[in-house]
Amino acid sequence: MIEKKEQDILLKDVREQISAVLEHRAPQFLPVDSPQLARKRGAFVTLRRNGALRGCIGHIRAIAPLRETIRELACSSAFEDPRFPALTLAELGDLEIEISVLTTLKEVAGPEDFHPGHDGILIDNGRASAVFLPQVAEEQGWDRNQTLSHLCLKAGLRPMAWAESGMHFFTFQAQVFS
């Protein structure tokens, strides 16, 4: 569990990292001694502007300490999300930041073990994979079958590919804050 003080640090780090890149300067982060922020965790950074998605990039699996991961994802979300042009300095003031800190992936027996709105989901058939954060199904108003069908489309598969043999399902939860 990431405490409020640590959440605030991570949110400030995202804004500082993006600001520093846009202003062509070195970022200046507050020194913090926090075991939670030093722990390796998967995470996503989601950026919105005026309520509309502006970038979202993450790591499902833990590959680096959380604070380091968040800083990297800040830049990726702002400047490398292929769905959007790079963020500009003019947009910075309107930027809304959301961070999702993930639990470890857990393989489940099948789609019946996925609970939209509570679980995030990753599907993988060995050739293609895709992931949705826990909040996606709820934000879109999708039930389990709709979520899985949209996830298959995201992976470049037929909508009902989730019901075929050979599909693997992994769930996770997220602590989301903005």
Side-chain angles (χ1 to χ4, degrees):
M1 188 74 155
I2 307 299
E3 300 296 328
K4 175 74 171 118
K5 182 176 118 183
E6 294 161 324
Q7 292 175 19
D8 291 343
I9 290 165
L10 292 175
L11 291 164
K12 285 177 185 173
D13 279 3
V14 169
R15 192 167 296 278
E16 175 60 19
Q17 182 70 52
I18 294 169
S19 297
V21 170
L22 290 170
E23 296 167 357
H24 308 288
R25 62 175 175 78
Q28 297 184 10
F29 301 113
L30 295 173
V32 175
D33 182 25
S34 165
Q36 283 294 339
L37 299 184
R39 191 171 154 217
K40 290 183 179 182
R41 300 284 299 269
F44 275 73
V45 171
T46 302
L47 305 176
R48 289 188 178 84
R49 186 166 179 253
N50 301 321
L53 184 64
R54 188 57 182 83
C56 181
I57 302 286
H59 296 305
I60 289 291
R61 291 178 175 84
I63 57 173
L66 180 58
R67 195 168 186 204
E68 181 182 319
T69 295
I70 293 300
R71 291 175 186 171
E72 174 199 334
L73 295 174
C75 284
S76 297
S77 296
F79 308 114
E80 298 170 9
D81 188 325
R83 299 169 292 181
F84 303 98
L87 192 77
T88 65
L89 189 56
E91 295 175 288
L92 189 59
D94 299 325
L95 201 61
E96 303 152 23
I97 300 164
E98 178 181 275
I99 295 174
S100 301
V101 179
L102 311 182
T103 62
T104 304
L105 284 176
K106 175 180 145 191
E107 187 165 13
V108 295
E112 63 281 353
D113 294 325
F114 163 58
H115 304 285
H118 177 264
D119 297 328
I121 181 82
L122 179 140
I123 58 168
D124 187 333
N125 70 0
R127 296 180 314 280
S129 65
V131 65
F132 279 147
L133 293 171
Q135 58 268 39
V136 171
E138 191 170 37
E139 288 171 355
Q140 299 299 319
W142 296 334
D143 64 18
R144 177 185 294 129
N145 291 358
Q146 290 171 314
T147 303
L148 293 170
S149 292
H150 283 280
L151 194 55
C152 286
L153 291 171
K154 183 179 180 182
L157 302 169
R158 293 178 315 288
M160 291 302 293
W162 62 267
E164 298 170 2
S165 65
M167 186 63 75
H168 297 274
F169 300 85
F170 301 85
T171 61
F172 59 94
Q173 289 75 48
Q175 181 182 358
V176 182
F177 50 93
S178 55

